[in-house]
Amino acid sequence: MLYLLDTADLDAIRHCNEFYPLAGVTTNPSILARSGGDFWQTLLAIREIIGAEKALHVQTRGVTAQQMVQEGLLLKEKLGGEFYLKIPVCEEGLKATMELKKLGIGVTVTAVFTPAQALMAAKAGADFVAPYVNRLDSIGADGAQVVADIVEEFAVHGLPTKVLAASFKNVQQVHNCALTGCQSVTVTADILKALISHPMTDKAMAGFDADWSAAFGDKTILEL
Ligand code: E4P
């Protein structure tokens, strides 16, 4: 399972990159608009924080396949490293995906809501498809089931495309997706932190601390 961070908040990226086994960062136009900074400065700063080996997914704003391909080439040239152009699933997007794959540029087909969309994206050569779990759950559909169906579909057809489950609002949704065998998830910093939080863990740690202090004061093992 790869954990990616779905944000352009540099402080959050710095923190999570230091303390969690992060595989990369994903952004989209809404996330970058919310962050409010300069487009290139923000993306270059993210690359500097995560380094060249971790994945950076940036969404195209192109409407035609040609624009998407041009944006993909420019973004790859400027951001370097492990880079994926996010392309919404649509006809122009599929054409761009096929062309970008010939040019050796990574592609994540995004805004995926059905296994049929995912299969077409995979056949076009997408490296990842990103189904939106919470957006499905919030219209009464079953986001994790859609992810499970996509995972199975790719396995049945022997396709190398990976599933990057996205759009999460709680830990349970991430857990449900992890059980499907999906290869990766992208989550906010709050959800990443919530994934390791438990009041019983806090209580256990406080108990160990109190017992140790009673016996050894504030000395660490290194000081004994
Ligand atoms: C990632 O690829 C998506 O853009 C993102 O997870 C969407 O999340 P949202 O539904 O919270 O906007």
Side-chain angles (χ1 to χ4, degrees):
M1 170 67 82
L2 303 176
Y3 290 104
L4 288 91
L5 200 59
D6 201 24
T7 186
D9 178 332
L10 299 181
D11 289 337
I13 295 168
R14 225 172 262 117
H15 177 87
C16 294
N17 192 51
E18 181 176 353
F19 291 101
Y20 292 81
L22 210 62
V25 170
T26 57
T27 63
N28 65 32
S30 309
I31 287 171
L32 286 165
R34 265 201 305 278
S35 86
D38 174 83
F39 176 80
W40 286 113
Q41 271 179 13
T42 301
L43 291 173
L44 287 165
I46 294 173
R47 174 55 84 208
E48 196 175 331
I49 295 168
I50 65 174
E53 282 171 16
K54 294 190 181 180
L56 179 51
H57 298 241
V58 182
Q59 194 160 323
T60 182
R61 287 293 297 136
V63 175
T64 65
Q66 193 190 6
Q67 290 166 343
M68 293 174 188
V69 170
Q70 283 170 348
E71 288 187 355
L73 290 170
L74 179 65
L75 283 158
K76 171 69 184 173
E77 183 194 325
K78 289 205 169 220
L79 300 175
E82 187 73 2
F83 170 78
Y84 296 90
L85 185 70
K86 287 175 69 183
I87 302 179
V89 59
C90 61
E91 286 185 349
E92 295 288 341
L94 290 173
K95 181 176 175 185
T97 300
M98 293 185 279
E99 289 180 18
L100 283 163
K101 290 320 297 171
K102 282 187 210 142
L103 297 169
I105 307 283
V107 174
T108 295
V109 171
T110 192
V112 167
F113 290 89
T114 69
Q117 291 177 320
L119 186 55
M120 197 65 78
K123 290 301 295 178
D127 298 279
F128 290 91
V129 294
Y132 284 11
V133 176
N134 184 66
R135 294 196 197 193
L136 281 161
D137 289 351
S138 54
I139 57 161
D142 185 342
Q145 187 57 53
V146 171
V147 170
D149 290 348
I150 296 171
V151 168
E152 187 182 344
E153 189 175 61
F154 289 177
V156 165
H157 292 277
L159 291 162
T161 305
K162 296 187 177 79
V163 180
L164 173 59
S167 174
F168 291 103
K169 287 293 168 281
N170 61 60
V171 166
Q172 188 62 39
Q173 290 170 326
V174 179
H175 172 65
N176 293 342
C177 285
L179 288 175
T180 69
C182 76
Q183 295 85 355
S184 49
V185 294
T186 185
V187 298
T188 62
D190 283 349
I191 290 184
L192 197 66
K193 290 175 191 178
L195 284 167
I196 63 158
S197 298
H198 199 288
M200 291 301 287
T201 305
D202 297 341
K203 195 176 169 195
M205 288 171 70
F208 295 140
D209 197 41
D211 292 345
W212 176 275
S213 298
F216 306 109
D218 59 4
K219 283 194 165 45
T220 67
I221 291 174
L222 296 176
E223 292 161 337
L224 290 179

mmCIF file of all heavy atoms in Angstrom, residues 124-151:
data_model
loop_
_atom_site.group_PDB
_atom_site.id
_atom_site.type_symbol
_atom_site.label_atom_id
_atom_site.label_comp_id
_atom_site.label_asym_id
_atom_site.label_seq_id
_atom_site.Cartn_x
_atom_site.Cartn_y
_atom_site.Cartn_z
ATOM 1 N N ALA A 124 -5.843 2.431 -22.203
ATOM 2 C CA ALA A 124 -5.139 3.555 -22.854
ATOM 3 C C ALA A 124 -3.705 3.679 -22.341
ATOM 4 O O ALA A 124 -2.918 4.444 -22.893
ATOM 5 C CB ALA A 124 -5.912 4.852 -22.629
ATOM 6 N N GLY A 125 -3.401 2.947 -21.249
ATOM 7 C CA GLY A 125 -2.018 2.945 -20.758
ATOM 8 C C GLY A 125 -1.790 3.699 -19.466
ATOM 9 O O GLY A 125 -0.636 3.921 -19.077
ATOM 10 N N ALA A 126 -2.865 4.102 -18.778
ATOM 11 C CA ALA A 126 -2.696 4.849 -17.519
ATOM 12 C C ALA A 126 -1.856 4.046 -16.527
ATOM 13 O O ALA A 126 -2.012 2.829 -16.415
ATOM 14 C CB ALA A 126 -4.059 5.144 -16.907
ATOM 15 N N ASP A 127 -0.987 4.754 -15.814
ATOM 16 C CA ASP A 127 -0.208 4.106 -14.754
ATOM 17 C C ASP A 127 -1.085 3.892 -13.523
ATOM 18 O O ASP A 127 -0.972 2.889 -12.834
ATOM 19 C CB ASP A 127 0.991 4.984 -14.374
ATOM 20 C CG ASP A 127 1.917 5.166 -15.551
ATOM 21 O OD1 ASP A 127 2.723 4.260 -15.812
ATOM 22 O OD2 ASP A 127 1.799 6.203 -16.246
ATOM 23 N N PHE A 128 -1.918 4.903 -13.231
ATOM 24 C CA PHE A 128 -2.844 4.838 -12.096
ATOM 25 C C PHE A 128 -4.226 5.278 -12.563
ATOM 26 O O PHE A 128 -4.349 6.098 -13.478
ATOM 27 C CB PHE A 128 -2.425 5.817 -10.979
ATOM 28 C CG PHE A 128 -1.175 5.439 -10.243
ATOM 29 C CD1 PHE A 128 0.067 5.893 -10.674
ATOM 30 C CD2 PHE A 128 -1.223 4.647 -9.097
ATOM 31 C CE1 PHE A 128 1.233 5.563 -9.985
ATOM 32 C CE2 PHE A 128 -0.076 4.316 -8.403
ATOM 33 C CZ PHE A 128 1.158 4.774 -8.849
ATOM 34 N N VAL A 129 -5.258 4.774 -11.902
ATOM 35 C CA VAL A 129 -6.595 5.377 -12.017
ATOM 36 C C VAL A 129 -7.007 5.800 -10.614
ATOM 37 O O VAL A 129 -6.691 5.116 -9.631
ATOM 38 C CB VAL A 129 -7.655 4.415 -12.598
ATOM 39 C CG1 VAL A 129 -7.343 4.075 -14.046
ATOM 40 C CG2 VAL A 129 -7.809 3.171 -11.755
ATOM 41 N N ALA A 130 -7.701 6.945 -10.535
ATOM 42 C CA ALA A 130 -8.080 7.481 -9.221
ATOM 43 C C ALA A 130 -9.604 7.531 -9.070
ATOM 44 O O ALA A 130 -10.253 8.483 -9.523
ATOM 45 C CB ALA A 130 -7.470 8.871 -9.034
ATOM 46 N N PRO A 131 -10.196 6.476 -8.454
ATOM 47 C CA PRO A 131 -11.629 6.518 -8.139
ATOM 48 C C PRO A 131 -11.874 7.370 -6.888
ATOM 49 O O PRO A 131 -11.086 7.333 -5.943
ATOM 50 C CB PRO A 131 -11.980 5.048 -7.880
ATOM 51 C CG PRO A 131 -10.696 4.356 -7.585
ATOM 52 C CD PRO A 131 -9.568 5.186 -8.110
ATOM 53 N N TYR A 132 -12.990 8.122 -6.902
ATOM 54 C CA TYR A 132 -13.287 9.075 -5.826
ATOM 55 C C TYR A 132 -14.259 8.446 -4.821
ATOM 56 O O TYR A 132 -15.477 8.458 -5.010
ATOM 57 C CB TYR A 132 -13.912 10.342 -6.416
ATOM 58 C CG TYR A 132 -12.947 11.275 -7.114
ATOM 59 C CD1 TYR A 132 -11.648 10.895 -7.401
ATOM 60 C CD2 TYR A 132 -13.347 12.559 -7.474
ATOM 61 C CE1 TYR A 132 -10.773 11.760 -8.036
ATOM 62 C CE2 TYR A 132 -12.482 13.435 -8.099
ATOM 63 C CZ TYR A 132 -11.190 13.032 -8.382
ATOM 64 O OH TYR A 132 -10.334 13.901 -9.009
ATOM 65 N N VAL A 133 -13.707 7.922 -3.758
ATOM 66 C CA VAL A 133 -14.482 7.110 -2.819
ATOM 67 C C VAL A 133 -15.556 7.915 -2.082
ATOM 68 O O VAL A 133 -16.739 7.561 -2.113
ATOM 69 C CB VAL A 133 -13.531 6.413 -1.817
ATOM 70 C CG1 VAL A 133 -14.319 5.638 -0.764
ATOM 71 C CG2 VAL A 133 -12.587 5.486 -2.573
ATOM 72 N N ASN A 134 -15.175 9.009 -1.429
ATOM 73 C CA ASN A 134 -16.194 9.732 -0.645
ATOM 74 C C ASN A 134 -17.273 10.348 -1.535
ATOM 75 O O ASN A 134 -18.437 10.408 -1.144
ATOM 76 C CB ASN A 134 -15.548 10.815 0.216
ATOM 77 C CG ASN A 134 -16.589 11.485 1.092
ATOM 78 O OD1 ASN A 134 -17.152 10.845 1.983
ATOM 79 N ND2 ASN A 134 -16.907 12.747 0.804
ATOM 80 N N ARG A 135 -16.868 10.812 -2.720
ATOM 81 C CA ARG A 135 -17.886 11.421 -3.602
ATOM 82 C C ARG A 135 -18.904 10.363 -4.026
ATOM 83 O O ARG A 135 -20.071 10.692 -4.249
ATOM 84 C CB ARG A 135 -17.230 12.077 -4.813
ATOM 85 C CG ARG A 135 -16.374 13.281 -4.427
ATOM 86 C CD ARG A 135 -16.047 14.146 -5.616
ATOM 87 N NE ARG A 135 -14.930 15.024 -5.330
ATOM 88 C CZ ARG A 135 -14.579 16.062 -6.081
ATOM 89 N NH1 ARG A 135 -15.253 16.348 -7.176
ATOM 90 N NH2 ARG A 135 -13.549 16.805 -5.741
ATOM 91 N N LEU A 136 -18.476 9.111 -4.146
ATOM 92 C CA LEU A 136 -19.430 8.017 -4.426
ATOM 93 C C LEU A 136 -20.285 7.742 -3.200
ATOM 94 O O LEU A 136 -21.517 7.654 -3.290
ATOM 95 C CB LEU A 136 -18.673 6.751 -4.843
ATOM 96 C CG LEU A 136 -18.189 6.729 -6.296
ATOM 97 C CD1 LEU A 136 -17.091 5.696 -6.500
ATOM 98 C CD2 LEU A 136 -19.353 6.470 -7.251
ATOM 99 N N ASP A 137 -19.624 7.621 -2.035
ATOM 100 C CA ASP A 137 -20.386 7.341 -0.802
ATOM 101 C C ASP A 137 -21.440 8.413 -0.560
ATOM 102 O O ASP A 137 -22.549 8.118 -0.105
ATOM 103 C CB ASP A 137 -19.451 7.275 0.411
ATOM 104 C CG ASP A 137 -18.576 6.016 0.406
ATOM 105 O OD1 ASP A 137 -18.808 5.126 -0.436
ATOM 106 O OD2 ASP A 137 -17.660 5.935 1.245
ATOM 107 N N SER A 138 -21.082 9.657 -0.866
ATOM 108 C CA SER A 138 -22.007 10.739 -0.513
ATOM 109 C C SER A 138 -23.204 10.861 -1.459
ATOM 110 O O SER A 138 -24.117 11.630 -1.195
ATOM 111 C CB SER A 138 -21.271 12.083 -0.385
ATOM 112 O OG SER A 138 -20.557 12.341 -1.525
ATOM 113 N N ILE A 139 -23.220 10.063 -2.540
ATOM 114 C CA ILE A 139 -24.446 10.022 -3.356
ATOM 115 C C ILE A 139 -25.158 8.670 -3.201
ATOM 116 O O ILE A 139 -25.962 8.267 -4.030
ATOM 117 C CB ILE A 139 -24.183 10.310 -4.854
ATOM 118 C CG1 ILE A 139 -23.162 9.318 -5.433
ATOM 119 C CG2 ILE A 139 -23.744 11.748 -5.073
ATOM 120 C CD1 ILE A 139 -23.192 9.244 -6.954
ATOM 121 N N GLY A 140 -24.807 7.958 -2.119
ATOM 122 C CA GLY A 140 -25.496 6.705 -1.826
ATOM 123 C C GLY A 140 -24.926 5.503 -2.545
ATOM 124 O O GLY A 140 -25.477 4.404 -2.443
ATOM 125 N N ALA A 141 -23.802 5.695 -3.260
ATOM 126 C CA ALA A 141 -23.125 4.549 -3.886
ATOM 127 C C ALA A 141 -22.105 3.990 -2.891
ATOM 128 O O ALA A 141 -21.974 4.513 -1.775
ATOM 129 C CB ALA A 141 -22.447 4.987 -5.177
ATOM 130 N N ASP A 142 -21.390 2.941 -3.292
ATOM 131 C CA ASP A 142 -20.438 2.293 -2.392
ATOM 132 C C ASP A 142 -19.036 2.448 -2.991
ATOM 133 O O ASP A 142 -18.622 1.669 -3.855
ATOM 134 C CB ASP A 142 -20.827 0.811 -2.247
ATOM 135 C CG ASP A 142 -19.962 0.080 -1.227
ATOM 136 O OD1 ASP A 142 -18.877 0.592 -0.885
ATOM 137 O OD2 ASP A 142 -20.367 -1.007 -0.798
ATOM 138 N N GLY A 143 -18.331 3.486 -2.517
ATOM 139 C CA GLY A 143 -17.009 3.817 -3.077
ATOM 140 C C GLY A 143 -16.027 2.669 -2.982
ATOM 141 O O GLY A 143 -15.326 2.357 -3.948
ATOM 142 N N ALA A 144 -15.972 2.012 -1.817
ATOM 143 C CA ALA A 144 -15.003 0.916 -1.633
ATOM 144 C C ALA A 144 -15.341 -0.259 -2.548
ATOM 145 O O ALA A 144 -14.444 -0.955 -3.029
ATOM 146 C CB ALA A 144 -14.983 0.469 -0.173
ATOM 147 N N GLN A 145 -16.635 -0.466 -2.810
ATOM 148 C CA GLN A 145 -17.018 -1.565 -3.713
ATOM 149 C C GLN A 145 -16.565 -1.254 -5.143
ATOM 150 O O GLN A 145 -16.113 -2.144 -5.872
ATOM 151 C CB GLN A 145 -18.537 -1.795 -3.675
ATOM 152 C CG GLN A 145 -18.988 -3.014 -4.461
ATOM 153 C CD GLN A 145 -18.311 -4.316 -3.989
ATOM 154 O OE1 GLN A 145 -18.351 -4.636 -2.803
ATOM 155 N NE2 GLN A 145 -17.674 -5.046 -4.910
ATOM 156 N N VAL A 146 -16.682 0.009 -5.532
ATOM 157 C CA VAL A 146 -16.197 0.404 -6.865
ATOM 158 C C VAL A 146 -14.686 0.162 -6.953
ATOM 159 O O VAL A 146 -14.180 -0.385 -7.948
ATOM 160 C CB VAL A 146 -16.549 1.885 -7.174
ATOM 161 C CG1 VAL A 146 -15.852 2.361 -8.439
ATOM 162 C CG2 VAL A 146 -18.061 2.047 -7.301
ATOM 163 N N VAL A 147 -13.972 0.522 -5.888
ATOM 164 C CA VAL A 147 -12.520 0.273 -5.860
ATOM 165 C C VAL A 147 -12.248 -1.229 -5.961
ATOM 166 O O VAL A 147 -11.392 -1.665 -6.739
ATOM 167 C CB VAL A 147 -11.894 0.870 -4.571
ATOM 168 C CG1 VAL A 147 -10.447 0.410 -4.393
ATOM 169 C CG2 VAL A 147 -11.955 2.393 -4.610
ATOM 170 N N ALA A 148 -12.992 -2.024 -5.199
ATOM 171 C CA ALA A 148 -12.809 -3.485 -5.228
ATOM 172 C C ALA A 148 -13.055 -4.032 -6.634
ATOM 173 O O ALA A 148 -12.301 -4.892 -7.118
ATOM 174 C CB ALA A 148 -13.747 -4.153 -4.223
ATOM 175 N N ASP A 149 -14.092 -3.534 -7.289
ATOM 176 C CA ASP A 149 -14.403 -4.011 -8.643
ATOM 177 C C ASP A 149 -13.282 -3.651 -9.628
ATOM 178 O O ASP A 149 -12.946 -4.439 -10.521
ATOM 179 C CB ASP A 149 -15.732 -3.416 -9.125
ATOM 180 C CG ASP A 149 -16.930 -4.000 -8.377
ATOM 181 O OD1 ASP A 149 -16.757 -5.009 -7.669
ATOM 182 O OD2 ASP A 149 -18.036 -3.437 -8.496
ATOM 183 N N ILE A 150 -12.734 -2.462 -9.466
ATOM 184 C CA ILE A 150 -11.643 -2.044 -10.360
ATOM 185 C C ILE A 150 -10.404 -2.914 -10.133
ATOM 186 O O ILE A 150 -9.762 -3.375 -11.080
ATOM 187 C CB ILE A 150 -11.309 -0.544 -10.175
ATOM 188 C CG1 ILE A 150 -12.499 0.327 -10.571
ATOM 189 C CG2 ILE A 150 -10.083 -0.161 -10.990
ATOM 190 C CD1 ILE A 150 -12.360 1.803 -10.216
ATOM 191 N N VAL A 151 -10.084 -3.152 -8.857
ATOM 192 C CA VAL A 151 -8.925 -3.999 -8.529
ATOM 193 C C VAL A 151 -9.101 -5.382 -9.165
ATOM 194 O O VAL A 151 -8.180 -5.923 -9.795
ATOM 195 C CB VAL A 151 -8.761 -4.123 -6.990
ATOM 196 C CG1 VAL A 151 -7.754 -5.217 -6.626
ATOM 197 C CG2 VAL A 151 -8.331 -2.786 -6.391
#
